[in-house]
Amino acid sequence: QVQLVESGGGVVQPGGSLRLSCAASGFTFSSYGMHWVRQAPGKGLEWVAFIRYDGSNKYYADSVKGRFTISRDNSKNTLYLQMNSLRAEDTAVYYCAKDMSGSGGSCPDYWGQGTLVTVSS
Amino acid sequence: SSELTQDPAVSVALGQTVRITCQGDSLRSYYASWYQQKPGQAPVLVIYGKNNRPSGIPDRFSGSSSGNTASLTITGAQAEDEADYYCNSRDSSGNRDWVFGGGTKLTVL
């Protein structure tokens, strides 16, 4: 069965950095695009970033463009999100999610349980 | 980027039918997908594409679309359907992005 396990969340000061990881299993990781989606406390879902199955294309929400970098290591079945210049408004639960396709023409289907990032001094 | 608009809250009597709607220009070009999220849990995909249900999703969930509006219909709502529901689609504004609606809180009375 598909399993996605996020890690790396925690408390960080404004302006700081954090790297999230998402360990994938139960499917051929190298064949599917992957997303990061976040949810601020008590708020709705916000799409953050997408990476194609082979890492050749990456897309970002305007709110994180230039600060966050999505990447993947298909040899380790792991997705990453490097977050720099963090702001209070980046505080959220961060979910990784598998796309239904490799190139991103579809939608997220399976989701991890999320990891909480808190940006606070 | 595009926006998707949902009613913040909808209620339905147990066993009745409810429609949750999502409006946005991107829906003229792309199908919506729908997610159910219960408190403290990750979202679960319930409808994708024209009207497709992932394995394990009850057939009381269905989807439809017309113009700039997508709808999720629950026929014979159950107590366990009480949750937040989010629509999602690609962004048609030229960015290669995805966008979520603000979510609808469904209460089953």
Side-chain angles (χ1 to χ4, degrees), chain A residues 31-33 50 52-53 59 99 101-106, chain B residues 90 96 98:
Chain A
S31 296
Y32 292 91
F50 171 82
R52 275 175 51 118
Y53 68 101
Y59 309 114
D99 195 86
S101 77
S103 58
S106 189
Chain B
R90 294 300 301 273
R96 300 297 299 272
W98 281 256

Side-chain angles (χ1 to χ4, degrees), chain A residues 8-12 16-20 81-84 86 116-118:
Chain A
V11 180
V12 61
S17 298
L18 211 56
R19 188 176 86 153
L20 306 183
L81 185 67
Q82 177 66 45
M83 303 185 295
N84 299 330
L86 283 161
L116 177 62
V117 173
T118 303

Side-chain angles (χ1 to χ4, degrees), chain B residues 6-10 20-21 34 83-86 102-106:
Chain B
Q6 298 183 241
D7 291 329
V10 171
I20 299 170
T21 61
W34 289 93
D84 294 325
Y85 290 85
Y86 295 91
T104 297
K105 168 66 178 175
L106 175 67

Side-chain angles (χ1 to χ4, degrees), chain A residues 33-88:
Chain A
M34 296 294 295
H35 300 262
W36 286 100
V37 178
R38 68 185 181 182
Q39 186 170 35
K43 302 298 184 182
L45 301 173
E46 180 187 13
W47 175 81
V48 173
F50 171 82
I51 185 169
R52 275 175 51 118
Y53 68 101
D54 58 359
S56 61
N57 289 90
K58 305 172 185 181
Y59 309 114
Y60 299 92
D62 288 343
S63 58
V64 306
K65 205 169 291 184
R67 300 188 299 122
F68 289 12
T69 302
I70 188 171
S71 63
R72 64 191 298 159
D73 186 337
N74 286 346
S75 68
K76 295 182 178 179
N77 288 349
T78 303
L79 175 72
Y80 302 100
L81 185 67
Q82 177 66 45
M83 303 185 295
N84 299 330
S85 302
L86 283 161
R87 307 165 179 165

Side-chain angles (χ1 to χ4, degrees), chain B residues 8-109:
Chain B
V10 171
S11 62
V12 61
L14 184 67
Q16 296 304 301
T17 296
V18 61
R19 176 174 293 180
I20 299 170
T21 61
C22 174
Q23 289 187 303
D25 287 341
S26 64
L27 300 178
R28 296 184 186 278
S29 305
Y30 297 101
Y31 287 118
S33 53
W34 289 93
Y35 300 87
Q36 176 192 72
Q37 187 181 35
K38 296 181 179 179
Q41 298 184 18
V44 173
L45 179 66
V46 294
I47 291 290
Y48 66 96
K50 190 173 183 179
N51 181 19
N52 300 297
R53 282 177 290 105
S55 174
I57 301 301
D59 61 7
R60 64 179 178 271
F61 290 89
S62 63
S64 62
S65 184
S66 177
N68 73 335
T69 301
S71 300
L72 172 70
T73 299
I74 306 174
T75 303
Q78 301 300 302
E80 60 264 33
D81 299 334
E82 184 163 293
D84 294 325
Y85 290 85
Y86 295 91
C87 59
N88 167 256
S89 82
R90 294 300 301 273
D91 182 346
S92 64
S93 68
N95 301 322
R96 300 297 299 272
D97 296 348
W98 281 256
V99 60
F100 284 94
T104 297
K105 168 66 178 175
L106 175 67
T107 300
V108 180
L109 303 172

